[in-house]
Amino acid sequence: MDVNAAVAAAAAIAGLCTGVIAMLAFRWSEREQKRPTRTSLHTDAVLPPGVDTVLSVLRSSAVVLDESDSVVKASSAAYALGLVRGGKLAVEPMLHMARDTRRDGEIRQVELDLPRRGTGRGEALAVSARVAPLGSRLVLLLVEDLTEARRIEAVRRDFVANVSHELKTPVGALSLLSEAVMDASDDPEAVTRFAGRMQIEATRLTNLVQELIDLSRVQNDNPLEDAEPVRVDELVAEAIDRSRQPASTKQITMAAGGTADLRIWGNRGQLAAALGNLVENAVNYSPARTRVGVSARRVAAPGGDLIEIAVTDQGIGISEKDRERVFERFYRVDPARSRATGGTGLGLAIVKHVAASHGGEVTVWSSEGQGSTFTLRLPEAGAVRDRSPTGPDRVDEDDDRPYDTDPNAEIPAPEVLP
């Protein structure tokens, strides 16, 4: 009997101990579940109220770091720029800034050049990084992409430098020639020669100033405010008439052809200037006794028919490396030849801006020693006329070759102008 009582007492004690241990284990588990973990610190819940919404609408790339330098929140732009990788800030200078700001609470800002992701050309990505404390534990990093702004600023600086150089050249020549005229006042023949040179330089200066005005106008004005249906035949005739005298001097035959009675929608003055520049360039860069052709046609396109105006010459042609830059302001394929022809290097830049502002484009095909074809593609004015897919005006949408790309090709129904 005493043995049974002892066994029962031992069993009761063991059960009591087991219950106590189970209760302690349960409470310890609850305590551990309530304790913040490393993972829970990386959720949006640790952000102050409203911060997540603000970060989502910022134009800058945003990254929020905790006290262990882990990323709590990052915008999609931050990932696109390569700032965040594997849950960590991947840019070491920005990481140092964040640590310094967390230590002393001061706002810091710096501009950095970062390598682009996925490019092997060593191109730099210019960014401005600003770090500020966010609450007691977090740090906010805002990064703004300055690459495009820097590119535009570089273009502006180059433009100012080029304008200064181009203006200084004829002005300096006029100054020297005027001194020469004064020194040769007793030599009528020399005065006549120097005066002729002064007229040439004055004309070059006038043309440069006018083209600068034209370029500024097409960049700042909205041509569609004063848009109207413009007959392509009239534009072609005006462009040819503008270059008639220099073409006659070089015995260059000028021909117009293609589809008649086409109309485009836009500013007549700007369109005439653009086509006139293309024809003038074709004449200036063509050798004597060659031909310049201007042709127009309608091209089917998904968003509505386009009108193609192609200017073809048999000139010196353009190399492949120069073809990508011929529409840049002041860029010349052959600077010496451009100065001999009076070119300013702005004509094709004006053509490009006019085409873009009218919802079109300008392209170039060229072969060195054979010639070039510059093609303007602009939206047609008015409703699209019904016509058969096999008709003479129909062009395959997949055929994007410039019309008469071969400078020796025949132009349909040409009207030869002396």
Side-chain angles (χ1 to χ4, degrees):
M1 189 69 180
D2 293 337
V3 174
N4 293 334
V7 171
I13 294 173
L16 179 62
C17 292
T18 302
V20 171
I21 293 174
M23 183 181 62
L24 292 175
F26 176 76
R27 293 196 174 181
W28 179 83
S29 175
E30 282 188 334
R31 188 180 304 167
E32 288 297 316
Q33 289 178 1
K34 292 180 180 180
R35 181 181 300 173
T37 62
R38 182 182 181 86
T39 303
S40 66
L41 288 175
H42 298 163
T43 64
D44 294 344
V46 301
L47 292 176
V51 172
D52 192 12
T53 303
V54 173
L55 295 182
S56 64
V57 298
L58 287 177
R59 296 181 60 183
S60 304
S61 303
V63 180
V64 179
L65 304 176
D66 63 10
E67 66 272 13
S68 62
D69 293 332
S70 296
V71 175
V72 176
K73 178 73 176 179
S75 63
S76 58
Y79 287 98
L81 291 178
L83 304 179
V84 178
R85 299 176 190 172
K88 293 289 185 178
L89 187 62
V91 183
E92 198 66 27
M94 295 181 186
L95 189 58
H96 290 318
M97 288 175 56
R99 290 169 179 170
D100 293 339
T101 296
R102 186 184 300 112
R103 184 180 64 254
D104 54 26
E106 292 185 4
I107 298 175
R108 289 175 170 81
Q109 184 170 353
V110 67
E111 292 189 1
L112 302 170
D113 290 334
L114 308 178
R116 286 184 183 269
R117 296 183 62 186
T119 61
R121 295 174 294 179
E123 296 179 349
L125 186 70
V127 298
S128 173
R130 185 178 179 88
V131 180
L134 185 65
S136 59
R137 296 187 299 107
L138 305 180
V139 173
L140 173 63
L141 171 67
L142 296 178
V143 180
E144 184 177 357
D145 188 355
L146 303 179
T147 307
E148 183 65 15
R150 284 193 179 181
R151 187 192 68 81
I152 294 175
E153 182 62 28
V155 170
R156 184 180 293 111
R157 286 197 305 269
D158 291 343
F159 180 72
V160 172
N162 286 327
V163 168
S164 302
H165 174 73
E166 296 295 335
L167 289 174
K168 185 170 62 177
T169 300
V171 169
L174 286 172
S175 177
L176 292 175
L177 288 169
S178 63
E179 293 179 4
V181 169
M182 294 178 61
D183 293 339
S185 57
D186 56 347
D187 186 352
E189 183 178 350
V191 169
T192 301
R193 185 172 66 255
F194 291 143
R197 288 296 306 166
M198 290 179 69
Q199 288 183 338
I200 294 174
E201 295 298 333
T203 301
R204 176 178 295 173
L205 180 60
T206 301
N207 292 338
L208 176 58
V209 172
Q210 184 59 50
E211 290 201 342
L212 285 171
I213 295 173
D214 292 341
L215 180 60
S216 175
R217 181 179 295 117
V218 300
Q219 285 180 320
N220 297 325
D221 292 352
N222 181 7
L224 301 183
E225 289 182 356
D226 301 320
E228 59 179 334
V230 182
R231 289 176 56 89
V232 175
D233 295 340
E234 295 178 357
L235 293 178
V236 172
E238 184 177 334
I240 290 178
D241 187 64
R242 169 176 163 180
S243 300
R244 187 188 302 274
Q245 193 277 331
S248 177
T249 302
K250 299 172 67 175
Q251 299 180 2
I252 293 177
T253 301
M254 304 185 72
T259 306
D261 198 27
L262 297 176
R263 289 176 172 82
I264 53 182
W265 187 262
N267 183 292
R268 192 185 190 286
Q270 292 190 14
L271 293 172
L275 185 57
N277 286 345
L278 291 180
V279 175
E280 185 178 6
N281 277 359
V283 172
N284 289 339
Y285 288 92
S286 293
R289 293 177 294 278
T290 56
R291 187 181 69 164
V292 171
V294 185
S295 58
R297 67 171 182 172
R298 181 182 295 107
V299 180
D305 286 3
L306 300 176
I307 302 301
E308 276 192 357
I309 308 174
V311 179
T312 303
D313 63 61
Q314 296 173 312
I316 59 176
I318 306 172
S319 66
E320 185 176 357
K321 67 180 182 66
D322 290 322
R323 245 171 273 160
E324 299 178 356
R325 302 191 59 191
V326 291
F327 296 103
E328 294 180 11
R329 291 170 291 188
F330 294 110
Y331 184 79
R332 297 183 177 93
V333 176
D334 185 350
R337 186 178 180 89
S338 296
R339 294 192 181 280
T341 59
T344 62
L346 290 174
L348 291 180
I350 293 175
V351 175
K352 178 181 177 181
H353 282 288
V354 169
S357 63
H358 282 76
E361 64 173 351
V362 59
T363 58
V364 59
W365 173 95
S366 186
S367 178
E368 290 186 86
Q370 297 185 30
S372 305
T373 296
F374 286 84
T375 304
L376 268 173
R377 292 187 181 90
L378 299 167
E380 183 179 18
V384 179
R385 294 185 296 179
D386 295 332
R387 54 189 181 277
S388 169
T390 58
D393 294 340
R394 188 70 179 181
V395 179
D396 188 356
E397 293 180 8
D398 295 331
D399 182 8
D400 59 354
R401 294 169 298 174
Y403 189 66
D404 283 345
T405 53
D406 182 358
N408 297 311
E410 291 296 328
I411 298 176
E415 174 192 355
V416 179
L417 304 176

